[in-house]
Amino acid sequence: MLGSIKSFLKTRLQHVDGHADRAQALQVATAAILLEVSRADFEIDDQELDTIAAALRRTFALDEDAVRELIAEALEEDEANLSLYPFLQLVNDHCSPEEKFAIIADLWRVAYADGRLDKYEEYQIRRIADLLYVPHSEFIRAKLAVQDI
């Protein structure tokens, strides 16, 4: 599937035409963005992976097998070989401010999943929020909403 993700990105992320293509591309993009935060502290924790899986199931109504496969394949991808920018561009092009807020909230959930917030995780979320054009006030609102849970 690793090869299929790369192929998918090359052929479809640039030109997402149909609703099904867009939905699949957004699933891949969201998974990659969420995994980026889990990698930020150089430790991918099981609680973080569980939180990512829950976010993908909740957001995209995916079954357990689809989520597990998506996460496993995304984890195999070497971050040096795949830039986060095409994923962020796709989200910017096809997501509403409310959907972007939900992604930022999920990023905070991933960061807090292991019971502690690492400074690199917070930095990565801030960077992603900036690249998604999420205002600082919404960045903070998402953080506070997740902390209150």
Side-chain angles (χ1 to χ4, degrees), residues 106-137:
D106 284 336
L107 292 173
W108 284 117
R109 286 183 189 95
V110 171
Y112 282 115
D114 60 1
R116 63 181 178 80
L117 176 63
D118 185 87
K119 66 182 178 181
Y120 298 113
E121 292 170 329
E122 185 166 15
Y123 169 78
Q124 192 68 280
I125 298 168
R126 176 71 258 170
R127 184 174 148 255
I128 290 168
D130 285 344
L131 293 169
L132 291 178
Y133 307 109
V134 173
H136 187 72
S137 60

Side-chain angles (χ1 to χ4, degrees), residues 2-106:
L2 183 58
S4 67
I5 290 176
K6 286 182 181 180
S7 174
F8 176 79
L9 291 175
K10 286 180 184 176
T11 60
R12 296 197 181 164
L13 278 185
Q14 298 297 328
H15 307 288
V16 177
D17 296 324
H19 178 72
D21 286 343
R22 181 176 45 232
Q24 183 180 5
L26 286 173
Q27 290 172 7
V28 173
T30 302
I33 292 167
L34 292 172
L35 285 166
E36 189 70 18
V37 170
S38 72
R39 292 182 182 128
D41 64 356
F42 307 103
E43 293 179 37
I44 299 176
D45 191 270
D46 285 340
Q47 291 98 341
E48 291 172 339
L49 291 176
D50 291 344
T51 301
I52 292 168
L56 294 172
R57 278 192 306 275
R58 180 180 63 252
T59 303
F60 300 111
L62 297 174
D63 64 29
E64 189 65 34
D65 290 336
V67 168
R68 192 177 312 120
E69 182 179 330
L70 182 59
I71 289 172
E73 297 304 327
L75 283 171
E76 290 177 14
E77 184 65 49
D78 179 39
E79 60 190 55
N81 292 329
L82 187 61
S83 172
L84 196 59
Y85 292 100
F87 298 120
L88 295 168
Q89 181 180 1
L90 184 72
V91 170
N92 277 327
D93 290 346
H94 297 287
C95 289
S96 68
E98 294 79 16
E99 291 167 326
K100 291 178 184 182
F101 176 84
I103 291 171
I104 299 302
D106 284 336

